[in-house]
Amino acid sequence: MSFADIIHYAFLQRALLAGTLIAILCSVLGVFLVLRRLSLIGDGLSHVTFGSVALALLLRFQSVYTSLAAIPCVLIAAIGILKIADKARIYGDAAIGIVSSLGIAVGILLASLAGGFNVDLFSYLFGNILSISRAELVVTACLFMVVLLSVAFFYNELFAITFDEELAVTCGVRVERINAVLVLLTALTVVLAMKVVGIMLISALLILPAVSALQLARGFKTAILLSACLGVASVIGGIFLSFFMDLPTGATIIIINFLLFATCFILRTTRK
Amino acid sequence: MPMNSISIEGLSFDYHGNEVLRDITCDIRQGDYVGIVGPNGSGKSTLIRCILGLNRVEHGTITLFGVPQPAFTSWDRIGFLPQGLQLFNPNFPATVEEVVRLGRLSKKRFPRRFDASDSEAVERAMDLMGISSLGKRLIGELSGGLRQRVLLARALVNDPEVLILDEPTTALDPETRDSFYATVRDLNVNRGTTILLITHDSSTIGLYASKLLYLDKRIIFFGTFEEFCHSSNMTEVFGHHGQHLICRRH
């Protein structure tokens, strides 16, 4: 079977399109998250996604509604992380830890009530981009537009709080509000990304393209563009490679990402 | 008489019950060059943070250009140069130009887009600080002195009426420090920019500032250097030697 043959498969076209959109979102937001030392927020929110997916499966929702049902839960969890960190006077990583473990605990309880882990739950845990439906692709495209336009609108404020929060305040930026925007956009992206790489590997898709780009970028916009390119390359490469070699797609994408990171790291060290 | 740029009335502040500032009242007038000195923990930086809205004031009032601080929005009228960036990451991928341009955000309303006038302002500020050739360099690649120049260019990019400097020369060598202070002095004399300069070095502040605010949780002294140096009250507080240390280079 040649490359030209497989590209005509509708399921593969949907997977490539959805994967590209989600890779762009993860890679762009990843740059802000990594530089703000919020890398693990994706991990925390993905665990909440696990809880909400378990609930949706318990209630026997259809696949497309499972993702949609996860959105409010993850948005609430995202706000919860900010509120806990603020009101309980603890660091963000501890707040992420609290919400993350709660999400996992709820997920395990609900999965147990539903009679244990089944195939559907495993597909969310480890991703199954090749099974993405037309309806899911439409949802992905809509949320892609919402997240990307929001990043474009708030780009300068996001850059300001990422560079230095206190300097941002002295420029009249409402830091709490922009932080909330960043975390909510991340929450939406996490819900979308679970279909691509699975709940277990979402944080890698947020972190790896960004840290790879940061090895080489010479400017903030360059870092974002490079991160997006690396993210898209890893997802497209991962989809094809996993298809040809009959490998799990999510894991293949992450391995490619790691190889890209290693390459960027070597390039940076040799450039010096 | 020049207008007040900053008015502080009855300001008290504490961190979790520990008193840091007590009943601070003073007016900073347009064109003043005020050196804020005092021992470690005397509340110098806290005072600046309260003025800038980085600490929420619960007792007392601060007025900026006649507007109560909580309602103040014209942040382009105030430039701020911090002692150092909070948790600065030397690998942060921002160019010098991008950092200086950030200062223009305070002039913008949502959706805060930059245009050609911002690029011109950035160029002017970089020219003024002698860093025009560094525009595409990453800020993390620069020495401490050059990085401070970049941050000063950022603070000056809106031609602010007030410039607040928090121990700006800690990381600089003596030559760069003198050149830095000459630039600030020039802004004060030729542009009428009001300067608030925090320094722990009370023995050199007289070289630069025209007024002295000596703080030790409360105001010990606020006035001109002439008043300070001829005040018998201050001789009682600081002793002849202490007063001489502050006055000798004025």
Side-chain angles (χ1 to χ4, degrees), chain A residues 175-259:
Chain A
V175 171
E176 283 180 13
R177 191 179 292 180
I178 301 301
N179 257 332
V181 168
L182 177 62
V183 173
L184 291 176
L185 295 178
T186 305
L188 283 177
T189 304
V190 163
V191 173
L192 291 176
M194 73 178 164
K195 196 74 184 176
V196 182
V197 289
I199 288 165
M200 303 289 284
L201 296 172
I202 286 172
S203 64
L205 197 55
L206 283 164
I207 296 170
L208 277 168
V211 293
S212 304
L214 291 175
Q215 301 301 311
L216 301 176
R218 298 192 60 80
F220 199 74
K221 278 186 179 158
T222 318
I224 287 177
L225 284 174
L226 188 55
S227 178
C229 291
L230 291 169
V232 169
S234 71
V235 168
I236 292 178
I239 289 173
F240 278 120
L241 196 63
S242 63
F243 185 81
F244 279 120
M245 300 184 73
D246 196 20
L247 296 169
T249 313
T252 310
I253 290 169
I254 300 307
I255 296 295
I256 291 178
N257 259 306
F258 178 75
L259 293 174

Side-chain angles (χ1 to χ4, degrees), chain A residues 15 21 34 43 59 98 101 107 119 134 152 154 161 170 194 198 214 229 233 235 270:
Chain A
L21 299 181
V34 165
D43 212 33
L59 299 174
I98 292 169
S101 48
V119 175
R134 182 179 286 272
F154 292 106
I161 65 164
T170 64
M194 73 178 164
L214 291 175
C229 291
V235 168
T270 51

Side-chain angles (χ1 to χ4, degrees), chain B residues 120-142:
Chain B
E120 285 165 19
V122 169
E123 269 179 40
R124 274 201 308 275
M126 285 172 51
D127 268 346
L128 183 68
M129 294 314 301
I131 51 169
S132 298
S133 60
L134 304 178
K136 301 295 177 201
R137 290 275 299 276
L138 293 178
I139 186 158
E141 292 175 348
L142 304 180

